[in-house]
């Protein structure tokens, strides 16, 4: 481990929810190294769990010079405040309320996806739920976005998060961007940001490492 750099703890075999955190670290230009855990690395993981500073052990986590933070929402809050980017949490009260609302909607979508992405019927079940539930949520986001560059106008941390959600959905079905061209333009806008583009071109990005674990029928 490189001394002094923030550590991102994640899974060895898949990116999971560490990927949007990774994207945020890249966007904020925070130097970091990764510590990976395989399903058989119980002894190594137990060392982390036994650390008195790791109050709520979970993966992904960050370790900032001995300060452990888990839970993705808390990690986002910590990074934005610690590394002097409070504007990414919303520039005024109105933006902060809008941001909380958008996050709640995507959390609900995440609960749907957590069921769909591991269902044994795979694509057949996904297509059914996409039509019944997911497409309606994306339509709401499309209407909310309209022709804005980012969801709230200026970029906030949630834009990076929603970019990740769109990336997962688009890898499963082209319907997302075919139906909602403004979401496609929004996705490409974030993908083309200097920091995000540089990440995808660097050796820190591993295209062979899937987003989802092996137990998912979707190999993305």
């Amino acid at each position: 481990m490189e001394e002094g750099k923030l550590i991102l703890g994640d899974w060895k075999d898949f990116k999971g929810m560490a990927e949007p955190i990774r994207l945020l670290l890249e966007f904020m230009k925070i130097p970091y190294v990764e510590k990976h855990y395989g399903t058989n690395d119980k002894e190594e993981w137990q060392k982390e769990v036994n650390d008195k500073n790791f109050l709520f052990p979970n993966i992904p986590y960050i370790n900032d010079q001995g300060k452990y933070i888990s839970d993705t929402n808390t990690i986002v809050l910590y990074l934005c405040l610690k590394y002097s980017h409070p504007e990414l949490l919303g520039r005024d009260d109105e933006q902060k309320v809008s941001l909380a609302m958008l996050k709640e909607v995507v959390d609900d979508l995440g609960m749907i996806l957590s069921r769909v992405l591991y269902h044994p019927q795979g694509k057949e079940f996904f297509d059914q739920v996409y039509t019944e539930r997911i497409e309606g949520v994306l339509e709401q986001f499309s209407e909310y976005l309209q022709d804005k560059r980012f969801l709230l106008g200026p970029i906030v941390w949630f834009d990076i998060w929603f970019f990740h959600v769109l990336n997962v959905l688009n890898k499963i079905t082209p319907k997302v961007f075919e139906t909602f061209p403004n979401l496609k333009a929004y996705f490409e806008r974030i993908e083309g940001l200097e920091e995000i583009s540089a990440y995808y071109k660097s050796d820190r990005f591993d295209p062979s490492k899937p987003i989802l674990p092996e137990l998912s029928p979707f190999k993305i």
Side-chain angles (χ1 to χ4, degrees), residues 7 35 37 45 47-49 51-58 61-70 74-75 78:
I7 297 169
K35 187 171 184 179
Y37 300 89
W45 174 241
K47 291 179 183 177
E48 303 289 356
V49 171
D51 191 305
K52 64 183 179 183
N53 295 315
F54 204 169
L55 299 179
F56 300 98
N58 203 355
Y61 71 84
I62 59 170
N63 176 356
D64 193 2
Q65 300 187 51
K67 188 177 185 66
Y68 286 87
I69 307 289
S70 56
T74 311
I75 290 171
Y78 177 83

Side-chain angles (χ1 to χ4, degrees), residues 96-106 144:
K96 290 173 183 176
V97 171
S98 296
L99 192 53
M101 177 181 64
L102 294 173
K103 180 63 168 57
E104 289 287 343
V105 175
V106 167
Y144 186 87

